[in-house]
Amino acid sequence: MDVKLFMAIIGCKPDGRFTEQHDVFFGAANSMKELIPQMKAFWPEAKGKIHIDSWREVTAVDGYKIEVVPKDDSISNPERLFFINLGGYKPDEFEEYHYKVLAIGESLAEASKKSKQTSFFKHWGFKGANAHIDDKYGIDVDDAYNVSDILKPTFQEQFSLRITKPQNITEDVLHIGYYRLEKLP
């Protein structure tokens, strides 16, 4: 079996909310469909009524190859895979927009620096409402994570992420649109 790392934007409208809510989910399994119980457990307030707005199998980030390997494999790479949530604004629009970034770095500071090079960070802000890495002091550790640290403990006990720099790499396919859980591959 080939365990893969997946990232998904999950959505639902929990009881008592006026608009659809979203969160980011990371999981490791053989397929997206295999992750359905974990996604439902991740967001219990949704009472199982979640959908996927986009997902990807994470295999390539910043020119690096990402692989899920058994924990007993010797992993010595200093690079880490980080998830960073950027927030930004447009003049005269009553909304905060978000852009989810995966970045490779030896530290959060290095990965954050890469996220600030994205076109979103450069163009989704204006004087008095600058684009930012949510929320305080320019970088909020609540919205910037080492992906290995936010995967389920059972993953952390059994697997690691191997990050290597191959000569050629194919970018990940982004599956964007509304996906009902029962329609996942």
Side-chain angles (χ1 to χ4, degrees):
M1 292 213 212
D2 190 21
V3 176
K4 304 166 191 165
L5 177 64
F6 292 95
M7 174 184 182
I9 305 296
I10 58 177
C12 78
K13 187 175 167 194
D15 292 341
R17 300 293 180 182
F18 298 113
T19 61
E20 183 178 312
Q21 311 289 294
H22 294 93
D23 206 344
V24 175
F25 172 84
F26 287 91
N30 296 299
S31 68
M32 278 294 293
K33 187 179 260 348
E34 217 176 88
L35 290 170
I36 292 171
Q38 289 182 39
M39 286 186 267
K40 288 179 178 180
F42 173 76
W43 202 343
E45 300 84 2
K47 299 179 182 169
K49 298 177 184 175
I50 61 174
H51 64 272
I52 306 294
D53 283 305
S54 59
W55 66 274
R56 75 190 263 191
E57 180 185 336
V58 180
T59 64
V61 175
D62 291 343
Y64 287 85
K65 182 178 180 179
I66 311 300
E67 298 172 279
V68 175
V69 296
K71 188 72 165 185
D72 55 334
D73 278 11
S74 178
I75 304 295
S76 62
N77 49 277
E79 295 85 7
R80 302 285 177 258
L81 174 62
F82 290 94
F83 161 67
I84 300 170
N85 185 34
L86 295 173
Y89 308 93
K90 291 180 82 174
D92 302 317
E93 291 193 20
F94 192 71
E95 184 68 61
E96 179 186 6
Y97 299 93
H98 287 95
Y99 184 68
K100 280 78 173 139
V101 177
L102 290 179
I104 300 292
E106 291 187 27
S107 66
L108 175 57
E110 183 181 339
S112 296
K113 185 177 178 181
K114 286 182 180 181
S115 74
K116 291 179 181 181
Q117 301 308 309
T118 64
S119 60
F120 179 90
F121 195 88
K122 293 176 183 177
H123 301 291
W124 283 79
F126 56 95
K127 188 172 180 160
N130 296 328
H132 59 281
I133 299 172
D134 267 355
D135 189 21
K136 43 189 158 152
Y137 314 119
I139 295 175
D140 182 353
V141 294
D142 290 335
D143 278 12
Y145 300 94
N146 179 338
V147 172
S148 291
D149 293 343
I150 59 176
L151 289 165
K152 287 183 61 113
T154 52
F155 171 88
Q156 295 175 23
E157 293 164 8
Q158 297 177 29
F159 301 102
S160 295
L161 296 180
R162 179 172 27 213
I163 302 169
T164 56
K165 186 84 168 165
Q167 291 293 333
N168 295 313
I169 193 157
T170 303
E171 292 296 317
D172 291 346
V173 175
L174 303 180
H175 305 271
I176 300 170
Y178 184 93
Y179 293 89
R180 296 174 56 123
L181 294 183
E182 59 273 9
K183 300 286 185 180
L184 288 173

